[in-house]
Amino acid sequence: MDATRQRFLMCRPTYFAVDYAINPWMDPSAPVDTDLAVRQWERLRQVYLDLGHTVEEIAPLPGLPDMVFAANGGTVIDGRAMAVQFRDPQRADEAPAYRAWFEGAGFEMYDPKHVNEGEGDVLLAGDHLLAGTGFRTAHASHAQLQEVFGYPVITMQLVDPRFYHLDTALSVLDERTVAYLPEAFSPGSQAVLRRLFPDAVHATMADAEVLGLNAVSDGRHVVLPEQATGLAAKLRDRGYETIGVDLSELRRAGGGPKCCTLRLRQGKASQ
Ligand code: ARG
């Protein structure tokens, strides 16, 4: 199995908090340890650097506690960046900050016409763009994604509010393989997943409940929450090297490793 070098965008959780609840994981009455969140995030960043990946950073902004979840900042494929439009007003101001970063980094920009929460709901799997809907990203945005990026878009209907973004229910392991929690999807979407990925790894609810599917793979190494021991064992059986990280403090906001990580894809040749 070959690892491909990746370029990631991350945002330090300097202003991380749980001040509002926009998913079932968030409890604003429970205290949050921001320093611990920063230490856990720094360890994730170091894991990527040790694997030989490049990590770019966007400056965190006060008053935007969820800005650490860089996956929601955009979708970046083949040198094109589609900006985002959040469902919830609490996160709205993150969108222009990420947009300005992409523009400054030289990506060709596209603006969303509908609610679109970036790589939280849009995952490139081989030659297909898997696009989630049901909670956040609007179905109407899937057509725009197809026009902008030129990959066939496959709509994935999410049905469990705990797995509100596609990247909490499905993880792309390499060009041909994904892991997912079947019951997080509608029956029709489950049938599509079986058709597209007959060899997929099926995760259990126990793994999904610790956000085990919110994993980042370079095709060989899979970085995932260390609490997802069952999923990690299944991945090792398939020949992947697993690296567990503890992001328990960020999980209080409903996020894991993948949520903290946006893949920046240049043109095809240098992917
Ligand atoms: N609190 C954030 C929200 O509900 C968490 C986002 C997690 N990001 C992700 N890519 N799943 O929007």
Side-chain angles (χ1 to χ4, degrees), residues 39-195:
R39 288 199 298 280
Q40 292 178 337
W41 177 91
E42 281 175 343
R43 160 91 186 121
L44 174 66
R45 179 175 169 278
Q46 192 57 48
V47 165
Y48 293 145
L49 296 175
D50 291 347
L51 288 171
H53 303 317
T54 302
V55 178
E56 314 264 5
E57 285 186 50
I58 179 173
L61 295 172
L64 296 176
D66 275 336
M67 194 173 169
V68 57
F69 300 117
N72 300 127
T75 304
V76 185
I77 302 170
D78 298 343
R80 299 177 175 185
M82 188 155 144
V84 295
Q85 184 181 316
F86 286 94
R87 180 196 68 177
D88 299 288
Q90 294 95 329
R91 297 197 68 183
D93 289 346
E94 296 177 41
Y98 277 97
R99 191 191 190 288
W101 191 93
F102 300 132
E103 206 155 42
F107 291 99
E108 201 182 311
M109 288 307 306
Y110 295 85
D111 287 307
K113 296 188 191 134
H114 309 277
V115 171
N116 182 314
E117 299 203 355
E119 268 213 350
D121 273 323
V122 185
L123 297 173
L124 185 63
D127 278 331
H128 290 109
L129 259 190
L130 306 180
T133 191
F135 298 101
R136 301 292 183 89
T137 296
H139 185 218
S141 78
H142 295 185
Q144 190 189 2
L145 285 162
Q146 181 160 290
E147 283 306 313
V148 166
F149 295 111
Y151 289 81
V153 170
I154 311 285
T155 290
M156 294 280 114
Q157 198 73 49
L158 296 162
V159 298
D160 183 329
R162 285 171 303 170
F163 310 113
Y164 55 95
H165 275 143
L166 181 62
D167 71 357
T168 63
L170 182 144
S171 151
V172 176
L173 300 170
D174 59 40
E175 298 261 302
R176 288 167 306 278
T177 324
V178 299
Y180 65 96
L181 177 73
E183 53 266 52
F185 296 91
S186 67
S189 296
Q190 290 184 36
V192 170
L193 286 169
R194 284 196 299 271
R195 199 181 287 276

